[in-house]
């Protein structure tokens, strides 16, 4: 269920969250990547660092425990050394009751009195043979039942250390309750040349051991204690409180552990335990450190790390912002300039700047815009030219001379009572002008264009009586093709004025229209004067205005064909002096209606 | 910089500055080694013996808790007026707290009445019935009395027992007495109360004429127990209260049959520990002092050996 909800929420976010611009996308990508990298690095360093700190602290604690163990070892060895010295230098092979033995006893005792409470030699029956200082047994003391006595006799080769106890074996002038540690060993006593097994008891002051541990502090509240091999406390900084149950210690449990480092828990507190066994006695030095202390060591370091991390993050954001801006600002400006172009057209320049790719893009767009601008201008120019040409052509058609002359002819025919001819002439004139105007259209059918020139020739026939004959013919398939209007008549006009005018009735003007190879060919051929090659070449270059006829000429027709249909079309002229002239209009065969008027 | 970037940048900067401030404070302010408090322990006129182990426990707690202890009235045969003047003096010395073992609980209660005292006071030994004393640390004296009676009940002969009631007894002694006689009556053990005329029990069997030739004698204070041991220890069973070196010797020698006691070391430790927790604003734990029955047979066994003979 929660999976579905999560998916839906994600979809909603995806659809409704505003589209992030490239700037934010780049910024977020940089930032997230860098943050991840920094965080991983920092985490790794922190873990390593904190582990190292912990390791260092643990090592320090281990060293302190080791030091305590060595100190205790040294102490125990020293006491064994004193016992040995007492035995081998004083007791062995000497009569214990001799005065000089007493002095030696006293001397040795005095030397070590800060550690030793008593030095006592017992006979095998438990009787005191010698002691320093002087000592007597307490009333209830049963020496031969004491464990230290029994063990010394049973294992004469060893030294026997015993757990601390309140001294009660020996009586004093005043009852004293001191804590002592017994060290017993078997000795060979010489008595009147006989030897017997006795027991040497060194009563050691407890503070000889306690002062080795009292001042050891592990990691703030950590401490060290000493227990025997089965877990009985020998020294503990809270010995009294353990006895009354106010404090707790798991010494009995730890007695089963081997030497080493352990983690344990006592009364809800996590602790680090270090155990080290002292040689010979089997006593164990135990170091206890609360792991809470170890963690506290790291708080300042965590704080420091967080500060460094945040500082880096802050720098990262600033740098990222700068870099992102550097990258995306030119793109933004390019975008804005394109918008400006869209709104305000070519008046606005395209922004070209920033990095290479953006500059290149801007430059390309600017070039494209410039080309578009040029093309537009060319089209406009072309269109204007067309309009001009059309206007010129039209203007030519409404040439007053042609109209006057034609009207004169009609008037004359009416005066001559050649009414039929007059009607035909008026009708032809009307049709001529109707097709000339063609309701303002520039493109008409070939049929209409031929009709137009027929009407023209009919009128001119009346004027140029019997000077020429004419024929107008168009193939069936060409009749419905598109042509520009007023294309043929100017050519026929030229033929009349420049050739037929000089003929004596045998002039022929032949107009043919056909479709060949996808092109419309309209030829106007005459058998008139012809022209030289130079004259032909000049005709299409300049636009000489003829004084006769419409005056718009060949060039206008040629230009209009090119404008409408392309550079590869137009007017071609073949002429030979005295033979005549053939002018061909060539343009693509496009059925009427398919050609855009406003090309 | 966009709005979101500015906002995030600002938040991070604020957090950074806060953390920097925290770090500088931690690094450059002198580390307080857990607040150090000054506590005055005003003793009563009990013997040095009585205070020996209590002081040991108190000093141990002082080291652990970083409390500076001042023991006032040591080794002086102090009267109650003197004790009150010591309290006044320590308050004027601006101690942080007072631990007191009252010589006269009633007198102290009257003295505290109507006084404006802004520091905490706790009592050990005798209980003080005053709202200004915020804690009393002691074993349950009534129960001690009961346990004393139960110890008596184990005697082979059930002769009349003689309870030596100290002159001017107040507070804890009265509680013990009540516990003792209630239990004795419950156990149907005959007893007689010997009212001491003065504050001390004169040695030399001075009361021997007024009591029967046999029957146990019971002391309600350590001092009386010691004197009973000296006076009657050889000839009758002596029962008592408290642990001193003389009492321990008596137990060892056999001149004292059994005593009921608390650990003075624990009392000293717990009182200072408790007052430290209070001053430091930590949760104060309840204090329970165990009651021990001590005789010759168990005094040198663990854990009693450790409790009765704290290592100094």
């Amino acid at each position: 269920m929660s999976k579905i909800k999560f998916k839906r929420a994600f979809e909603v976010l995806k659809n409704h969250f505003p589209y992030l611009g490239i700037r934010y996308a780049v910024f977020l990508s940089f930032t997230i990547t860098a943050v991840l990298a920094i965080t991983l690095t920092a985490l790794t360093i922190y873990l390593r660092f904190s582990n190292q700190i912990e390791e260092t602290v643990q090592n320090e604690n281990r060293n302190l425990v080791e030091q305590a163990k060595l100190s205790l070892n040294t102490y125990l060895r020293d006491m064994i050394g004193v016992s040995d010295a007492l035995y081998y230098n004083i007791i062995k092979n000497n009569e214990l009751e001799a005065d000089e033995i007493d002095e030696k006893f006293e001397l040795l005792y005095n030397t070590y009195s800060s550690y030793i409470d008593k030095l006592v030699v017992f006979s095998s029956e438990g009787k005191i043979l010698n002691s320093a200082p002087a000592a007597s047994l307490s009333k209830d003391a049963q020496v031969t039942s004491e464990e230290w006595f029994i063990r010394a006799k049973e294992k004469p080769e060893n030294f026997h250390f015993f757990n601390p106890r309140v001294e009660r074996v020996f009586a004093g002038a005043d009852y004293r309750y001191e804590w002592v540690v017994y060290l017993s060993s078997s000795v060979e006593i010489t008595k009147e040349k006989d030897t017997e097994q006795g027991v040497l008891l060194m009563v050691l002051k407890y503070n000889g051991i306690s002062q080795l541990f009292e001042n050891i502090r592990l990691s703030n509240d950590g401490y060290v204690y000493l227990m025997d091999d089965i877990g009985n406390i020998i020294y503990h900084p809270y010995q009294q409180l353990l006895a009354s149950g106010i404090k707790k210690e798991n010494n009995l449990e730890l007695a089963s552990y081997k030497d080493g480092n352990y983690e344990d828990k006592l009364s809800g507190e996590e602790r680090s335990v270090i155990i080290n066994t002292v040689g010979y006695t089997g006593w164990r030095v135990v170091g206890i450190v609360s792991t809470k202390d170890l963690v506290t060591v790291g708080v300042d370091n965590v704080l420091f790390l967080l500060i460094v991390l945040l500082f880096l993050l802050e720098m990262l954001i600033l740098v990222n912002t700068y870099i992102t801006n550097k990258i995306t600002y030119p793109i933004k400006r390019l975008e804005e300039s394109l918008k400006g172009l869209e709104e305000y057209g070519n008046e606005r320049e395209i922004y070209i700047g920033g990095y290479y790719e953006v500059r290149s893009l801007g430059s390309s767009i600017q070039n494209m815009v410039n080309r578009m601008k040029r093309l537009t201008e060319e089209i406009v120019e072309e269109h204007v030219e067309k309009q001009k040409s059309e206007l010129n052509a039209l203007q030519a058609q409404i040439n007053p001379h042609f109209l006057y002359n034609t009207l004169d002819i009609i008037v004359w025919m009416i005066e001559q009572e050649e009414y039929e001819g007059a009607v035909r002439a008026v009708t032809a004139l009307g049709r001529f002008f109707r097709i000339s105007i063609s309701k303002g259209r520039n493109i008409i059918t070939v049929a209409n264009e031929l009709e137009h020139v027929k009407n023209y020739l009919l009128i001119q026939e009346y004027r140029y009586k019997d000077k020429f004959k004419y024929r107008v013919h168009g193939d069936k398939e060409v009749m419905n093709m598109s042509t520009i209007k007023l294309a043929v008549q100017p050519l026929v006009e030229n033929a009349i004025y420049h050739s037929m005018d000089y003929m004596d009735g045998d002039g022929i003007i032949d107009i043919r229209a056909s479709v060949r190879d996808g092109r419309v060919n309209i030829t106007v051929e005459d058998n008139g004067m012809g022209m030289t090659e130079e004259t032909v070449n000049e005709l299409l270059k300049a636009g000489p205005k003829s004084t006769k006829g419409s005056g718009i000429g060949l060039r206008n027709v040629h230009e209009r064909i090119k404008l409408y249909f392309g550079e590869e079309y137009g007017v071609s002229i073949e002429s030979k002096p005295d033979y005549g002239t053939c002018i061909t209009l060539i343009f693509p065969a496009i059925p009427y209606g398919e050609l855009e008027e406003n090309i | 910089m966009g709005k979101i970037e500015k906002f995030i940048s600002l938040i991070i900067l604020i957090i950074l500055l806060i953390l920097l401030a925290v770090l500088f404070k931690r690094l450059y302010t002198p580390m307080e080694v857990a607040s150090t408090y000054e506590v005055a322990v005003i003793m009563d006129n009990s013997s040095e013996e009585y205070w020996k182990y209590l002081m040991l426990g108190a000093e141990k707690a002082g080291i652990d808790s970083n409390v500076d202890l001042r023991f006032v009235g040591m080794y002086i045969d102090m009267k109650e007026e003197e004790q009150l003047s010591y309290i006044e003096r320590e308050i004027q010395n601006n101690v942080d707290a007072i631990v007191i073992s009252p010589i006269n609980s009633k007198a102290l209660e009257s003295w505290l009445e109507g006084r404006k005292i802004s520091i905490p006071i706790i009592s050990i030994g005798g209980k003080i019935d005053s709202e200004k004393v915020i804690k009393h640390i002691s074993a349950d004296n009534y129960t001690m009395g009961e346990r004393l009676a139960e110890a008596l009940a184990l005697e082979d002969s059930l002769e009349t027992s003689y309870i030596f009631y100290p002159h001017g007894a107040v507070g804890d002694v009265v509680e013990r007495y009540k516990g003792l006689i209630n239990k004795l009556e419950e156990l149907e053990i005959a007893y007689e109360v010997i009212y001491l005329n003065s504050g001390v029990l004169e040695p030399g069997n001075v009361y021997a004429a007024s009591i029967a030739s046999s029957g146990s004698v019971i002391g309600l204070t350590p001092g009386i127990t010691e004197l009973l041991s000296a006076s009657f220890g050889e000839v009758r069973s002596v029962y008592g209260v408290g642990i001193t070196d003389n009492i321990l010797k008596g137990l060892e020698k056999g001149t004292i049959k059994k005593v009921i006691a608390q650990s003075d070391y624990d009392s000293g430790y717990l009182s200072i520990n408790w007052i430290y927790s209070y001053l430091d604003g930590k949760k104060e734990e309840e204090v329970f002092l165990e009651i021990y029955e001590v005789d010759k047979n168990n005094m040198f066994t663990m854990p009693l050996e450790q409790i009765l003979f704290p290592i100094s």
Side-chain angles (χ1 to χ4, degrees), chain A residues 195-368:
Chain A
T195 59
E196 69 172 63
Q197 191 194 27
V199 171
L200 169 61
L201 176 68
M202 280 177 62
V203 180
L204 307 173
K205 292 180 179 173
Y206 178 72
N207 64 6
I209 290 175
S210 66
Q211 69 191 14
L212 296 174
F213 296 93
E214 265 161 11
N215 296 321
I216 297 177
R217 287 281 178 269
L218 304 180
S219 298
N220 294 338
D221 290 340
Y223 56 88
V224 173
Y225 70 86
L226 182 65
M227 63 181 181
D228 66 12
D229 56 342
I230 55 172
N232 294 318
I233 299 282
I234 296 171
Y235 167 83
H236 195 292
Y238 298 103
Q239 223 153 329
Q240 277 69 50
L241 302 173
L242 288 175
S244 55
I246 290 171
K247 285 205 182 277
K248 300 261 186 286
E249 190 63 77
N250 58 346
N251 43 296
L252 295 175
E253 185 190 326
L254 294 178
S256 61
Y257 289 18
K258 288 193 175 122
D259 284 6
N261 283 25
Y262 304 92
E263 302 294 321
D264 89 339
K265 205 171 179 178
L266 185 68
S267 305
E269 194 189 6
E270 306 268 348
R271 317 188 310 169
S272 177
V273 177
I274 306 159
I275 300 178
N276 226 322
T277 303
V278 181
Y280 198 82
T281 57
W283 291 352
R284 315 190 80 191
V285 179
V286 182
I288 302 287
V289 178
S290 167
T291 49
K292 165 178 75 76
D293 297 320
L294 295 172
V295 167
T296 308
V297 167
V299 166
D300 285 345
N301 293 323
V302 169
L303 214 54
F304 181 75
L305 201 65
L306 272 172
I307 287 168
V308 170
L309 217 71
L310 284 172
F311 178 75
L312 282 173
L313 193 62
E314 186 75 8
M315 290 297 108
L316 192 77
I317 288 174
L318 292 172
V319 169
N320 270 356
T321 305
Y322 175 74
I323 292 172
T324 309
N325 278 348
K326 205 93 169 74
I327 294 172
T328 62
Y329 179 68
I331 298 173
K332 188 86 184 154
R333 279 201 63 184
L334 182 61
E335 187 215 359
E336 281 164 5
S337 64
L338 282 170
K339 272 190 186 148
L341 179 74
E342 209 178 343
E343 277 179 41
Y344 302 104
N346 296 336
E347 293 161 23
R348 294 295 173 97
E349 286 289 320
I350 297 296
Y351 173 75
I352 298 172
Y355 291 104
Y356 170 76
E357 289 84 356
V358 179
R359 264 205 323 277
S360 178
L361 188 64
S363 182
S364 300
I365 293 172
Q366 183 65 70
N367 289 340
M368 197 173 67

Side-chain angles (χ1 to χ4, degrees), chain B residues 17-29:
Chain B
L17 290 171
I18 291 170
L19 288 178
L20 265 171
V22 169
L23 185 65
F24 275 127
K25 191 168 183 294
R26 281 176 70 92
L27 289 177
Y28 295 109
T29 52

Side-chain angles (χ1 to χ4, degrees), chain B residues 115-172:
Chain B
R115 261 186 169 75
K116 213 174 173 187
I117 296 174
S118 58
I119 60 169
I121 298 175
I122 68 170
S123 61
I124 54 176
K127 194 168 182 183
I128 305 166
D129 193 12
S130 167
E131 61 185 18
K132 294 182 178 74
V133 177
I134 61 171
K135 187 76 177 173
H136 175 67
I137 292 180
S138 173
D140 187 331
N141 285 287
Y142 187 91
T143 309
M144 283 175 84
E146 285 185 322
R147 297 275 284 271
L148 202 45
E150 284 163 2
L152 270 165
L154 296 174
E155 278 282 298
D156 289 335
S157 74
L158 295 172
E159 294 177 37
T160 300
S161 299
Y162 296 91
I163 302 169
F164 283 75
Y165 193 92
H167 174 74
V170 292
D172 51 338

